[in-house]
Amino acid sequence: APLMQHFQKPENALRRADELYAVGQKEPALVALHDVLSSKRHRTWQPMMEEVMKRFLTICVEMRRGKASKDGLIQYRIICQQMNVNSLEAVLRHFMQLAHEGAQAALELAEKTISDKVANLLDFDDLEAEETPESLMLATIGGSADSKKRTDRLLVTPALKFLWEAYRTVLDILRNNSKLEELYRDTAAKAFEFCKTYKRAVEFRRLCEILRNHIHSQTKVDPKWKDREPPTPEALQVHLETRFGQLATAVEMELWQE
């Protein structure tokens, strides 16, 4: 594993990461950037930190590093919390856009590879289920009829899985953040759209559960929530838009329980 390097300035880390990336050393580039994000020395927000974070996320998306991107975002939330929530919003929107573009590119490649519509590739049950050695072996030894399954596994599933994880991560980073309620609503809307487009009933149920848990945790975590200022009309409006989005998606997908 690459040794941790402690950079005095974020721009030095960024320069070093770019040099490493240019010669195909993506992993050490990630380490250099993560070191800056997690260093106590760089806990005060400055514009260069946003550059570091965006570069970090670009490499994470390329390498499909879901856990690393979430960890980086948690560090960045700490850096932004007091000083610049707008920068956190910009970075989260950037992350979702990158993940969405990555998924689109993979789906287009899959369609070219097997000259079939992506809609016909979406017959896997659960994006969060792990591949077993048996399922991978069966996919590998299958005949031409299984080439669709192989394309599905190699191209489509990882891309959609990463995009789904990206939405979950953003919702998690934003929960109980009263300053970014509109981004929370927009992210939930993107996740609903994802479930509709790719016919993901399992993930839609999980998403509804996540949103419910966020509301419950808000009332549990904060025992004084009843004594606080009541939500503004704008905050209520945003909350209702999220709930109606869920309802509309459930109706369209015929998932009456949700």
Side-chain angles (χ1 to χ4, degrees):
L3 289 168
M4 291 284 273
Q5 301 168 325
H6 294 294
F7 295 95
Q8 292 297 331
K9 294 182 176 169
E11 48 268 44
N12 297 349
L14 195 56
R15 198 176 310 116
R16 182 71 188 125
D18 286 346
E19 288 164 4
L20 290 163
Y21 183 87
V23 294
Q25 297 282 308
K26 292 183 184 178
E27 191 71 49
L30 266 189
V31 171
L33 296 169
H34 187 269
D35 182 51
V36 172
L37 293 168
S38 56
S39 162
K40 294 211 167 32
R41 183 183 297 148
H42 302 299
R43 276 287 179 257
T44 308
W45 185 86
Q46 49 179 297
M48 188 49 71
M49 290 302 285
E50 187 173 314
E51 293 301 309
V52 166
M53 189 65 217
K54 284 183 171 174
R55 197 70 45 88
F56 178 78
L57 289 173
T58 301
I59 302 173
C60 281
V61 171
E62 267 183 42
M63 297 175 75
R64 299 222 174 97
R65 289 294 178 78
K67 284 191 174 70
S69 48
K70 183 170 186 177
D71 186 53
L73 284 165
I74 288 169
Q75 301 295 342
Y76 196 63
R77 179 177 60 186
I78 296 166
I79 296 166
C80 289
Q81 202 76 11
Q82 305 306 324
M83 291 275 296
N84 195 335
V85 177
N86 291 348
S87 176
L88 179 62
E89 174 170 4
V91 158
L92 289 169
R93 288 192 187 277
H94 178 70
F95 176 50
M96 288 192 284
Q97 186 60 28
L98 287 173
H100 177 72
E101 286 166 5
Q104 289 306 112
L107 295 174
E108 281 164 24
L109 182 58
E111 286 190 344
K112 278 196 195 110
T113 310
I114 56 154
S115 61
D116 194 357
K117 281 279 159 273
V118 158
N120 303 330
L121 289 173
L122 304 174
D123 58 355
F124 39 86
D125 293 333
D126 181 355
L127 283 176
E128 290 182 34
E130 295 299 324
E131 286 282 27
T132 63
E134 293 83 0
S135 68
L136 286 169
M137 201 163 85
L138 284 169
T140 313
I141 58 179
S144 61
D146 279 328
S147 71
K148 179 178 95 64
K149 274 274 186 283
R150 245 193 325 278
T151 303
D152 188 354
R153 287 217 157 82
L154 295 174
L155 294 173
V156 178
T157 315
L160 290 183
K161 184 174 180 170
F162 187 84
L163 181 55
W164 164 246
E165 277 179 8
Y167 292 142
R168 285 197 61 158
T169 292
V170 174
L171 288 170
D172 210 41
I173 295 284
L174 289 174
R175 71 176 177 184
N176 301 346
N177 188 330
S178 58
K179 291 177 184 161
L180 291 176
E181 283 167 342
E182 288 184 12
L183 179 56
Y184 186 92
R185 175 202 60 199
D186 294 350
T187 306
K190 285 178 199 288
F192 292 146
E193 194 55 45
F194 171 91
C195 294
K196 265 194 312 205
T197 304
Y198 302 115
K199 304 180 175 65
R200 308 305 313 154
V202 173
E203 283 75 28
F204 180 67
R205 288 194 189 97
R206 209 167 272 146
L207 177 60
C208 296
E209 185 63 27
I210 289 165
L211 298 178
R212 274 196 293 274
N213 286 342
H214 285 175
I215 294 170
H216 290 160
S217 74
Q218 205 167 359
T219 53
K220 269 189 203 145
V221 171
D222 185 358
K224 296 204 182 75
W225 70 277
K226 287 183 186 144
D227 309 330
R228 275 192 329 215
E229 291 284 307
T232 61
E234 292 78 14
L236 271 177
Q237 174 73 20
V238 165
H239 175 72
L240 288 173
E241 282 168 8
T242 303
R243 306 307 285 176
F244 282 123
Q246 177 177 326
L247 181 63
T249 308
V251 169
E252 201 165 321
M253 295 178 76
E254 300 186 357
L255 295 169
W256 310 116
Q257 300 293 316
E258 300 301 338

